[in-house]
Structures are given as C-alpha cells and as structure tokens.
Amino acid sequence: MTKLKVIFLLILFLHSSHFLFSQRADSKLISIQEMFDLAEANSRSIRTYDLTEKEAEQAVQIAKNALLPSVDVSLSASYLGDGWIADRDFSNGANAPMPHFGNNFAIEASQVIYAGGAISNSIAVAKLRKQLARLDKVRNREDIRFLLVGNYLELFKLQNQAAVYRKNIEQTVHLLADVKARQKEGLALKNDITRHELQLKTLEQALLQINNGITIANNELVTVLGMPLETSIRVDTCLLNSLPVISNEVDWQVTALESSPLLQQAKLGIEESRHNEKIVNAERLPSVALIAGDHLDGPITNEVPPINKNFNYWYVGIGIKYNLASLYKTGSKSRLARYSHQKAVENELLLRDNIQTQVKASHVRFAEAFAMYDTQKKSLELAEQNYDVINNRYLNDLALITDMLDAGNSKLSAELQVVNARINILFNYYKLKKATGTL
C-alpha cells in the first residue's frame, strides 16, 4: 500500500469517526433549559429536598393541632376482692363483702384558651421552617443547575476543541502529502516530512485526550440527569449565536438582595429566633383552659358497706396552670434565646456583605470575559493572516518548515481560544446568575 493510500484512509477514518460520534443512534441534542427540566424530574437530590419540604408542611399541621381541644376517654372493667376492716391497732379484724364487678367510664375534654402565646408562636416557627425547607430546595436546585451548566459548557468546549483539532489534522495530512510530493521532486528534505509527521502525531494525541474528556463530562451529565449511560449528549451550538449582554452591576446587586435564597433564609432565621424568644418568655405566664368531663363509676366503694350501684357525675369549668419553677429556670433560657436572635441578625448582615462581594466579583469576571473575547478575535484574525502568508511563502520555498509549523500552532491556539472565550462568557453569565440566586 502506497503512502498516498495511507493518507487517504487516515482522512476517511477521521471523517467517519466524527460522523459516528455525532450521529450515534443514542445521541441526543439537549438545550440548557431541557437539561434543567430533566434534572428537575430525575435528580435524586431534588426529590430528597421535595420530601423535606413535605415533612415541613406536616410539621405545620402538627403545630396547629395544639389549637384543637383535647379529649381523653377511658373505660375499664375490674374484679374487686372482699375488703377487711379492723381497729386502729389492727385487732378485731373482719371481712367486708364487696360487689366483685367494678366498672369505670370517663370522658374529659379541655380547650386551651390562653398559653402566653406559646401555641401561636410555635405555629409561626413551623411555618418559617417550611419556608426554610422550600428555600433549601431552591438552593439545592441552583447548585445542581450550576453543576450541570459547568459540565455542559465544558462538554461544549471539548466538542469544539475536538472539531478544531480534526480540522487541523486534516490540514496537516494534506500538507504532509504535499511535502512528500515535493520530496519526490527533490524540493523538500526528509527532515521536513519527519517534522510534519511529528506534528500529526501530536495533534492525534491531543485529540485522543479531548475525546476522553468528552466521555467523562458526558458520563457526569447523563448520571445526574438520570439518562441511560450509553446516551451521547450533543450541546446546542445555537447558544453562541446570542450571547448575553453586559448590564449595570447595581441592577445585579438589587436582584441579589431581593432574590438570593441564602439571604432570604437569613431573614427567616431572624424571624424564627424572635418567635423562639417569645416561646421561652411564655413559660413565665399561666395557661388557661376550659374543661368538661363526665364519669360513670361502679360500685360506690367509699361507703361502708359498699353500694352496688353505678354513680354518674359531670362537670365543666376553667383550669389555670402555672409552673412556679419558671420563676428561676426561664431566665437562662431567655438570655440564650436573646443571644440567638442577636446572632441571627449579625449573620444576616454578614451574609449580605458576602453576597454583595460575590456579585461584584462575578460581574467583574463577566465583563472581563467580553474583553478577553474581543482580544481573542483579533488574535485569531492576525493568526489566520500570518498562516496564509507563511503557507504561501512555504509553498514557494520562501519559508522554513519551522515557520510553517509555528504558524499552524499559532492558528490552532487562536481558534481554540476564540471558542473558549465565547463559552467563558456564557459560564460567567450563569455564575453571575448563581450569585444573585436567579439561576
């Protein structure tokens, strides 16, 4: 087989492998929004936080149950043995016959009408914890989305890099064929062929590493999305057609203060600590309840001799309960609750500062990404011009092979950097949205 046939088969292999990779039966084109929807439906982490939110909903219902009346019912049947009667010095003892069947039925209801605010504040705390659980789910969703976006854009970057490398391998193969033809005519040296072959091997090795990176990134995505592991994800290349624009940092800061789930959780933490403080202080106040009951007992054993009859009585009234120990136990609890409230306030202020700092840094990087993109576009333009000039000079024996290789490497690097710069704009945009809590 001639060397020309080898080159032809190599080109054919590169094209066919690319076609097979991108057009596999199990490949799937997915946009970022579709990826988010799949994660919402299939992510185990999101489902776990859904269950946590449902638990918090039930906790609210349990707390509200304290507003409902309590009803206690008891029913018993017993065997009563005979009694024994004696003097106080235990002399002159005698058996006292008793009715042997005993029964008791009692029903008692109570309704708390005042508890110092303990019940209402407990319900408020349960509702706040429900909101905290919802915000935990929002935070988890944003963490997952940011992780997915990072892997998705990394896959985008790698797939574009692979395309650039395949293009440059094809160009190198053509150039190698030209050099071999020139060498047969005595217009090129064997060393020139060796340099091109070395360059080709270097490009092939880099392409292999890129393809391995694509496999790894693809596997991470399909695992989180709950898709079959053999699925090959194809990114939506239309993303680069409409890049986001730079907006005022102040707008992002305002959005962060309004939308950040972390900051919202900190504010809810302040409210929760305030209600906990009221719950502690309620221990110093009495609780008042309406009570009602009915009892049916038999026989009547507090008479001598016992009366073998049923005795029924009922009652209604108001009960007041006060824990005297609260006078000396509640003070330390109250101070602890007050410190917890102060800590929650300070935590909210600290978190506000941290979020503003993160938004500032993310916005700076976002603007920097645009500047880097403009620089890389100019670098690519110059690298292409330089490559065309060197290529023409080389074909006319006016440039060395080293010049040609350097020009090709510069062009390859510039092409990769332009693609990376566009993708970095998207990544920093989503990072800014993550910092503001709007991803």
Side-chain angles (χ1 to χ4, degrees):
M1 183 179 294
T2 64
K3 293 182 178 179
L4 188 58
K5 290 182 179 180
V6 173
I7 295 172
F8 174 76
L9 290 176
L10 179 59
I11 296 175
L12 182 62
F13 170 76
L14 290 171
H15 280 284
S16 61
S17 63
H18 172 55
F19 178 81
L20 290 174
F21 178 80
S22 60
Q23 300 296 330
R24 288 166 53 187
D26 53 359
S27 67
K28 186 175 181 60
L29 176 64
I30 299 179
S31 67
I32 288 181
Q33 186 57 51
E34 289 173 340
M35 181 175 62
F36 289 166
D37 294 339
L38 281 172
E40 193 77 18
N42 299 326
S43 172
R44 294 184 183 274
S45 179
I46 290 179
R47 287 201 296 270
T48 300
Y49 279 88
D50 283 337
L51 293 174
T52 301
E53 185 179 15
K54 291 178 180 178
E55 287 180 343
E57 290 177 358
Q58 291 303 309
V60 173
Q61 298 302 318
I62 293 173
K64 288 182 177 179
N65 288 341
L67 296 173
L68 301 176
S70 297
V71 180
D72 296 322
V73 178
S74 63
L75 176 65
S76 65
S78 59
Y79 176 84
L80 302 178
D82 289 338
W84 183 73
I85 299 176
D87 294 337
R88 294 299 301 273
D89 60 358
F90 299 101
S91 61
N92 301 320
N95 288 331
M98 293 276 289
H100 294 304
F101 176 73
N103 60 273
N104 173 269
F105 173 76
I107 179 170
E108 184 174 88
S110 64
Q111 173 66 62
V112 176
I113 58 177
Y114 178 75
I119 296 177
S120 60
N121 283 287
S122 295
I123 294 174
V125 168
K127 290 181 177 179
L128 289 173
R129 289 176 179 173
K130 175 186 173 182
Q131 297 180 54
L132 288 169
R134 180 184 60 82
L135 290 172
D136 276 337
K137 185 174 72 172
V138 172
R139 285 179 54 194
N140 179 68
R141 181 190 295 117
E142 291 208 338
D143 289 341
I144 291 177
R145 287 186 171 187
F146 188 65
L147 172 65
L148 289 172
V149 164
N151 286 334
Y152 185 86
L153 294 180
E154 178 66 17
L155 184 62
F156 195 176
K157 184 184 297 185
L158 290 171
Q159 289 180 354
N160 278 281
Q161 287 179 349
V164 171
Y165 269 93
R166 281 191 293 267
K167 178 181 176 182
N168 280 271
I169 288 174
E170 183 178 346
Q171 291 178 349
T172 303
V173 169
H174 283 297
L175 184 58
L176 181 59
D178 291 339
V179 173
K180 288 183 176 181
R182 289 162 58 86
Q183 196 263 345
K184 289 181 178 180
E185 298 175 358
L187 300 177
L189 300 175
K190 177 64 175 177
N191 188 46
D192 295 339
I193 297 176
T194 301
R195 288 177 178 272
H196 278 83
E197 290 177 341
L198 180 60
Q199 174 71 3
L200 181 60
K201 290 297 181 182
T202 302
L203 293 174
E204 290 173 346
Q205 180 65 31
L207 180 60
L208 175 62
Q209 293 176 338
I210 292 172
N211 286 333
N212 289 338
I214 290 174
T215 300
I216 294 172
N218 185 86
N219 183 71
E220 291 177 353
L221 281 176
V222 297
T223 300
V224 176
L225 297 177
M227 302 173 68
L229 293 179
E230 63 273 10
T231 304
S232 175
I233 293 178
R234 290 182 290 121
V235 300
D236 183 9
T237 57
C238 296
L239 280 173
L240 298 184
N241 296 337
S242 56
L243 294 175
V245 296
I246 302 178
S247 56
N248 197 317
E249 180 196 341
V250 176
D251 296 335
W252 288 100
Q253 293 285 3
V254 172
T255 300
L257 295 179
E258 295 175 350
S259 304
S260 172
L262 280 172
L263 194 56
Q264 292 179 32
Q265 284 186 314
K267 293 177 181 178
L268 291 177
I270 294 176
E271 292 186 40
E272 182 181 1
S273 64
R274 187 182 295 116
H275 286 293
N276 285 332
E277 190 173 358
K278 292 180 180 179
I279 291 173
V280 171
N281 291 332
E283 295 181 5
R284 293 173 172 169
L285 301 174
S287 61
V288 181
L290 294 174
I291 56 174
D294 186 272
H295 288 256
L296 177 66
D297 301 322
I300 303 172
T301 58
N302 57 353
E303 295 287 341
V304 181
I307 303 174
N308 191 20
K309 292 181 179 292
N310 288 323
F311 178 60
N312 182 77
Y313 63 95
W314 59 271
Y315 56 89
V316 294
I318 295 178
I320 299 177
K321 183 179 180 180
Y322 185 77
N323 183 10
L324 291 175
S326 64
L327 295 175
Y328 54 87
K329 286 185 177 181
T330 307
S332 57
K333 292 182 180 179
S334 180
R335 286 190 295 273
L336 176 61
R338 186 165 58 251
Y339 292 147
S340 297
H341 175 67
Q342 294 174 357
K343 178 182 176 181
V345 172
E346 291 296 329
N347 180 66
E348 192 268 344
L349 294 174
L350 175 62
L351 192 58
R352 182 185 295 264
D353 292 339
N354 290 340
I355 289 176
Q356 289 177 337
T357 300
Q358 291 176 6
V359 172
K360 174 71 175 179
S362 298
H363 189 270
V364 169
R365 295 301 183 189
F366 183 46
E368 179 185 75
F370 281 94
M372 294 297 295
Y373 175 55
D374 291 337
T375 301
Q376 295 302 331
K377 283 197 302 183
K378 185 62 177 179
S379 297
L380 177 59
E381 179 183 346
L382 296 175
E384 288 176 341
Q385 293 176 1
N386 180 66
Y387 181 83
D388 292 339
V389 171
I390 297 299
N391 187 45
N392 289 332
R393 292 180 61 188
Y394 178 75
L395 294 177
N396 292 296
D397 296 327
L398 298 176
L400 300 174
I401 184 63
T402 54
D403 298 331
M404 188 64 202
L405 292 174
D406 290 341
N409 290 334
S410 298
K411 179 172 173 290
L412 171 63
S413 177
E415 290 172 344
L416 293 176
Q417 292 304 322
V418 166
V419 174
N420 291 346
R422 291 175 69 87
I423 295 176
N424 283 338
I425 290 176
L426 290 174
F427 176 77
N428 283 283
Y429 172 70
Y430 284 108
K431 186 176 181 181
L432 184 55
K433 289 177 69 68
K434 173 69 165 55
T436 58
T438 55
L439 181 57

